[in-house]
Amino acid sequence: LKELDVYHQSGNSKIPTIEDALKLISASVRQVILGAKVGPPSYEKGLANDILSIVEKMQCKNCLIWAKSDSLVRDIIKLSSDVAVRR
């Protein structure tokens, strides 16, 4: 993954954005599983829209969104029937 040369700094760690990672891997794997974690400070506020926006922007047809939150799964399903979602 040395091609991930665009990073966001977080302390001493270099963290690729979701967009950066999807650019590199989505075309070379059968399925990409995006694990959605719900937590503070905003919890689920706008999270479904944010996730779907990235998936659509990156045209990730093989993305599967995985979330433990029933309400997040419902929100994603309501907003897009084209994206695979699992709980």
Side-chain angles (χ1 to χ4, degrees):
L1 293 178
K2 67 181 180 179
E3 292 89 3
L4 281 175
D5 58 356
V6 179
Y7 294 97
H8 292 277
Q9 292 292 335
S10 174
N12 292 331
S13 302
K14 294 181 178 181
I15 303 169
T17 64
I18 294 171
E19 291 94 339
D20 295 334
L22 287 177
K23 280 179 197 173
L24 282 176
I25 64 168
S26 66
S28 61
V29 297
R30 188 180 326 176
Q31 188 170 55
V32 177
I33 300 173
L34 298 175
K37 307 289 190 232
V38 177
S42 298
Y43 294 90
E44 297 174 18
K45 183 180 180 183
L47 186 56
N49 280 326
D50 292 344
I51 293 169
L52 289 172
S53 173
I54 291 168
V55 170
E56 291 168 4
K57 175 182 173 185
M58 301 309 299
Q59 299 177 356
C60 188
K61 302 295 182 197
N62 57 339
C63 281
L64 168 82
I65 301 168
W66 183 86
K68 284 187 172 183
S69 166
D70 290 336
S71 59
L72 179 58
V73 169
R74 278 190 298 271
D75 289 347
I76 292 170
I77 290 170
K78 283 180 192 175
L79 293 170
S80 177
S81 60
D82 295 341
V83 177
V85 185
R86 298 286 184 264
R87 179 185 177 282

